[in-house]
Amino acid sequence: MKKVMKILGIVVLCIVALVVALMVKNYFDSKKPLLSDDYYTGFKSDSELEKKFSGKGDFTVSSATYKSDNKSIGNFRIWYPSETENGTKTYPLIVVSNGSNTPALIYQPYFERLASWGFVVIGNDDKQTGTGDTTSETLNYMLSLNKDMNSIFCGKIDEDKIGIAGYSQGGAAAIRAVTEFENSNKYKAIFTGSASYALLAKNMGWEYDISKVTIPYFMTGGTGASDDSGNYGDDEFAGVAPLFSLKDNYNGMPGDVEKIRARVTGAEHFEMQLRTDGYMTAWMLYHLYEDEEAAKVFVGDEAEILNNANWQDIEKNK
């Protein structure tokens, strides 16, 4: 009996050691850079506008970090055109909802590249954003800085031009952010990369009502098995953002709201941020800056996205 207990004790100790090791690994992994500073230079496209908007814009970028009292948020992280610190010009704002276990800390070059197109971009270090609570709180924080006389952002945010981008779990969070909170009406445009499909989001506690989305929405997914497994039974995992979920979300929105759904050809789930960068940027320029060149990606029968080999399964209403 003593021998058995000794063996059981050793097994338990091994399990505890394994759990601790995994926790330590996850901690350090959550602080490793996800992207290199020039990550976007590796993107390939034969389409002129996609190639242009996937790179850097003309603005020099600075950043600022503010500690949050909310432990889930950890830090608010802001990237902005450096000229914001001088003058009286206002800028559109983009709020970013993180994917699972990807705090803003580990993909800072993404924010810097986006801000170089003339946006103030704010994120946080929440690793589990799905409910949208911390996204809503992040918007409120930025709006408070816009009114704080001691802040470099005082009077610098155009509150009529606010967009949101979310990836994976963060896609569900973005949908909830624009539909479920007191500040939801602040948003003017939404982009999601492989937003968790409705049943998955519901099972994870991130349930959203797509019919409540009343602002222009560009929804994307990848064709790879991680986004679309092809298993569509109720008891099977369908991937994170299968084609049927994009169709359901597209059709579930009001018909008079500008919307577009599209999938990135050959993209797996983990590739979606890089593979959608160009057109996500164009979507925000189009809606927050009324950029006519960016609009050519999406609008009309000759929209660039319709003739871009990087994209497929496209449906749009404008």
Side-chain angles (χ1 to χ4, degrees), residues 78 170 201 218 223 314:
I78 306 170
F218 180 24
T223 64
I314 301 161

Side-chain angles (χ1 to χ4, degrees), residues 285-296:
L285 288 168
Y286 166 34
H287 286 288
L288 304 183
Y289 267 113
E290 299 179 358
D291 187 301
E292 294 182 359
E293 185 179 35
K296 293 178 181 178

